[in-house]
Amino acid sequence: LPRQRLWIVLLLLQASLTVFLIADSRLGVLPALELLGGELLFGLGVWLLARGFFSDPRTVFFVTAAALGSSLGDKVYAALPLLVFLGRRFVQTGSAAALFGTLALAALHAWAAPHGLFFLAPIAAAILLWSAGHRKVPLTRSHIPALIGGFALAVAVAVRIGRGAGEAPEPMSWGRAFLAFVGLDAPAGFLDLFIGIAPRRDASCYVGYLTLAFAIVGLARLDRRMEVRSLAVGATLFLGLGLLAATSYVLLPSLHSGRPISVVAPLLKLFLAFLAGAGLENASRKATAAVATGLICLAIALSAASLRLQVEPRIPDRAAALFAPGAPEVLSPIFQSSTVCEFLDTSALWAAVAAGLLFLLRSRPRAMPLAMALLLFLHPLDVFSWKFRTTWVRTAREVQTR
Amino acid sequence: MKPKTLERGLFATLVALLVLFDAWLIFTRRLPRGHDTLSLSYVLQYLFLSQSAAGGGIPLWLPYASHGILTSWYVGMGGGLFQDALLLVGVRPGANAQVLFTLGQFVEELLLLVGTWRLGVHFFRSPWARFFVAASVVGSSIWAEQIWHNHRAVIAVPLALSLLLDFLETGRRRSLFLGLNLLVLQFLGNIPYTAVLTILVTVTFSGVYAIVFRRRLNWSAMRPRPVDAAIVLANAALLAAIAAMLTSGTGEVAFRQQGRTAEGTVGLDQFLTHAGGLDPVRFVDLALGLSPLRDYTLYVGAAAIPLAILGIALRPGRKALFLVSCVALVLLLSLGYLSFVAMIAYYAAPPLRFYRYLCTAGVHVRIPLLFLAGLGIDGLLRHAAAGRPARKGAAVALALLGLGCFALIPEIFQGELTRLVQTPVAMLGVSSGFDRPDRVAGVLVGAGLAALAGAGLIAAAVRRPDRAAAIVALLVMVQTADLARWRIELYRHRTAPLTPEQFAAQECRPLPYIARRSFAPADDVRARGLGPDFFGSAAVYDVTENFIPRDPPAAAATAPFWMSSTDRLLQAYARTESARPTVWRGAPVRPPYDKILGIAADKLQVFRAAHAVENAAELMNRAEFRGDVLLIDGPTSPLPSLSADERLAVPVEVAAFDANSLRVRVRVPERAWLLYCDAWHSSWRATVNAKPVPVSRAFLAYKAVPLETGANEVEFRIESPVRVWTFRLAALSALLWVAGVLGLTVATIFRKAA
């Protein structure tokens, strides 16, 4: 399949979400276009970055579909993949344009990022670049205009952020802020990786069952050095950014105005999407079979949970408390018994489909083309269906009144 | 046996099974218990056939539904290829509607069978695979109480698809013409929005086929030719004719249905969620045959899903890719808001905006799924020694399914399962009999035995690949027997046998004239006998009153729409703009409306004069108005006292009556006016002593004509040449298709060469 066609498929899917939001009066035209812009920036970054990691266009498509389909317009990291891509470009080629692009994008991103969390994406990009371990490029005279341009933009951003300081304080202790920013105030939220119901309003970990499956397969296939390195990068991102966010929260009153979002969830998803790409390109029969069996068990568990909920409708209240203890306002509106059951059963269905595909993939070489074709067809259906339904549940149709 | 002989023999076996099944329905005189099949499809068919048998052509009007309504939309909903063909050639008086209904169902099943058989040519080499798929598709595509969503929605899909695929592969224009023609005719015998979904599904399947098999297609032969314009124009003309037939005159209809706009469309939220039941857990019914709902079933035979998985494993080619893609798209569409397919479809296919029972779209999963299972059968035959793990897996899955069915039986008798599946589902009714543990257990035992038999046979195929042919034949027989068992069980539970007296009452008889509106039950065998057994539960519609027959002020059942003239009277009575005919239900209608509505007085009333007024609603609600002064629409003229009595006590003799006309004789001593308390519509014409007279709108809603001094013969007649001729055109197409289906059936049995 030509690479461009695959990218167009993703563009169309993302654009159709925007059309749906506008046509159904769920979002104004400008906010919807703004959302589309952010998502396209994110998607384009993932696509370009993935092209650097994977040679097979199908893997690039798979990774981008996973990242874009599971993104719910997370502004904090919208520019991160493109930042890393441009940074890598600069490090690899010494291109002044790439340097200017990196700095400008970092500054512009900081301008748009909510609640003053402007520093997270550039820092995350820096950590990822550092982990990539490329050679250093000496700065030359040709880089000076790019540096000046980037510096000017950074000053403008600083002025803007300085003007926003001192808003409604809702102080938390440093420790609590740290837990909140890394999502450990309600660790059950990470279960969303396996259940796909997006229980919280502020973030979700769902990346699609095929992404999850291939991420596990990918982790199993990495050599020990790569494995340690990946985990180290993940832990650094996880803890370092949470630490920074919590410290900033305590020091910058402007951060108090917004709800502490889960800092790690979007990064976790991005990380898993790329890991799944590695898994897809290096799948072993043994690991695939084990993961497929696990997915079957997961599907059964999800169905059983749904059946249990049908019988005891009070369970969602208790489960809801797990996902957001003491903060019911961050719970997703799906926490009504029938909706939760529908979500759980849909997740069970997708887990079973993913398991079936993995079994087909490992069955015999003759089945590989069919398995890959189905993978490329069903994977976007899974993640984008999740994205559409989550958006549908979280938005309401604006009633037209005169 | 030669493959050709085997193929013909297998096809003939399926036809024989269908004949036996429908003969059983006719000879045991079975009629579905209530819901849409009976109270709309069957009742409308009876009314249409009766009118035709009485020599009145097609009924354009139903007099005993919400004070008289147009049949426009009902022409499509109540018909079907066989009925419309019958209406064109004429129905013999006294023909039995139950027999004709069953015969119509038989013809539709033949259409499905022939289509599936032909479509099978594109996918399978083995006659056994074709037999398996045809037996499964035909066997599973039926549901006694809801004929539209389960049966009529799918009967044309295989044949239309095979014709369209034929065009894609060969460029043959005849196939394109026939495929499009069959799709257009889906508006006959269906709810319009079900037909829209059928067309969308068929076209989508064809599109997926074109993408998956793009290298196999004959693109050069598909280049546009002059004849294509004729094909498109001919079908567009037929579509336009059907649209005119269904909608002509409906501009004067009041339509207020919750969740729908005045045009009948629904918003995205309604489209995605209406009627609920979106949870994918319902697809368990595919393997168990235990639909908890009245409105649809998904059962495809216990062995079908494992065989479908086997099909993917043993024949992992483009056919499998095409079929899995079709299954996935339809399944996701039926999940409503749980997937984006439905959201995109809503905007991409605007006619879908009339559709709002998305969960029922799941029935379209059956055909591609069963074709996948057919690939499994083909794989078992062609790759006798390959895919041992997949075969073992299929055998184990079937064995687990069988054992699971038996394990569930104690739960059923403890009421656990029933309670679980009867969780509240808005709008969709819970199936009758599902609360009967014995019946549920019976279904599960059948499915369990079939699953265990299938498991044993697939296990045998693993051990004895040399006996693959015999084992596959047995497997196909088990599946056919399983579906036959399920179908008979279903019809035993969801239909009831008519007594000889009730059966005789199904003979097409002329519609009797009812002089006065009343809530009292009619003294008729259909009212007495069928009422509690058949119309006692689930959906019943106001058109049923014509079948019973009785003429109540407000139907005891659902009134989907009524005439806008009646609506004006309703608004005047209820003093609100959002009233429904239900305001006349239950409590006695207050004077003077009891006279105006034809309750306290006959529906035919004679007045000395008629008085044109512009504010009839306001005058009719004045305290002094007693309903004895005839008020007609027009520029206000001088009025007598509203309390005056201008009625003339003269007898009105009904000389002839049917759905489309009323002829009466009345003698009056002076010039007078005749009021007929039946809804006014611009299509009504009248003659008095053979001279045309204008039909005035009286009391906001009804018809009135001036009489001459002395003897008068008055005829009211509804005329709509557009509706009549467009119906004849559509019915002619239906007749040709019925002949074509019968011809194809005979040809498939007797032809010697492929």
Side-chain angles (χ1 to χ4, degrees), chain A residues 13 16 20 23-24 26 306-307 310-311 339 341-343 345-346 349-350 360 364 366-367 370 373-374 377-378 380-381 384-385 388-389 392-393 397, chain B residues 268-269 272-273 278-281 312-317 320-321 324-325 328-329 331-332 335 337-341 343-344 347 383 386 419-420 423:
Chain A
L13 284 172
S16 50
F20 149 65
D24 203 41
R26 287 171 177 268
S306 164
L307 282 176
Q310 298 252 18
V311 179
T339 320
C341 290
E342 284 169 353
F343 267 62
D345 285 324
T346 309
L349 176 72
W350 279 114
L360 185 65
R364 43 190 184 138
R366 240 189 100 203
L370 173 66
L374 288 177
F377 177 63
L378 294 174
L381 282 178
F384 276 92
S385 284
F388 271 70
R389 71 169 175 263
W392 185 81
V393 166
R397 192 164 186 272
Chain B
L268 181 67
D269 286 5
L272 293 176
T273 58
L278 299 169
D279 195 323
V281 77
I312 298 170
L314 296 179
R315 304 281 311 278
L321 176 62
V324 174
S325 305
L329 286 175
L331 191 144
L332 292 176
L335 294 188
Y337 81 99
L338 294 166
S339 92
F340 73 82
V341 175
M343 298 187 198
I344 289 182
Y347 287 110
H383 309 282
R419 193 155 59 86
L420 204 60
T423 46

Side-chain angles (χ1 to χ4, degrees), chain A residues 37 49 51 121 124 132 144-145 171 173 186 212 225 285 310-311 326 360 364:
Chain A
L49 193 58
R51 278 175 57 183
I144 292 174
S173 70
L212 185 65
R225 201 168 134 259
R285 283 171 65 90
Q310 298 252 18
V311 179
L360 185 65
R364 43 190 184 138

Side-chain angles (χ1 to χ4, degrees), chain A residues 290-311:
Chain A
V291 173
T293 311
L295 281 172
I296 290 282
C297 295
L298 180 62
I300 293 169
L302 289 170
S303 302
S306 164
L307 282 176
R308 186 81 183 139
L309 285 180
Q310 298 252 18
V311 179

Side-chain angles (χ1 to χ4, degrees), chain B residues 291-350:
Chain B
S291 174
L293 303 170
R294 266 185 198 278
D295 284 275
Y296 69 98
T297 178
L298 298 165
Y299 190 55
V300 284
I305 295 179
L307 280 171
I309 294 169
L310 208 54
I312 298 170
L314 296 179
R315 304 281 311 278
R318 285 178 186 269
K319 288 174 186 169
L321 176 62
F322 162 68
L323 294 168
V324 174
S325 305
C326 293
V327 169
L329 286 175
V330 175
L331 191 144
L332 292 176
L333 176 73
S334 80
L335 294 188
Y337 81 99
L338 294 166
S339 92
F340 73 82
V341 175
M343 298 187 198
I344 289 182
Y346 179 82
Y347 287 110

Side-chain angles (χ1 to χ4, degrees), chain B residues 390-465:
Chain B
R391 286 161 199 251
K392 279 184 188 170
V396 170
L398 266 174
L400 287 176
L401 174 67
L403 295 173
C405 286
F406 287 106
L408 279 175
I409 290 170
E411 300 291 320
I412 291 163
F413 283 98
Q414 287 165 13
E416 284 296 319
L417 186 71
T418 334
R419 193 155 59 86
L420 204 60
V421 295
Q422 283 185 346
T423 46
V425 181
M427 296 299 293
L428 288 183
V430 173
S431 132
S432 59
F434 200 81
D435 51 352
R436 294 269 304 272
D438 55 329
R439 287 186 182 175
V440 177
V443 174
L444 276 181
V445 166
L449 286 175
L452 288 179
L457 287 169
I458 294 178
V462 176
R463 291 176 63 85
R464 298 294 301 271

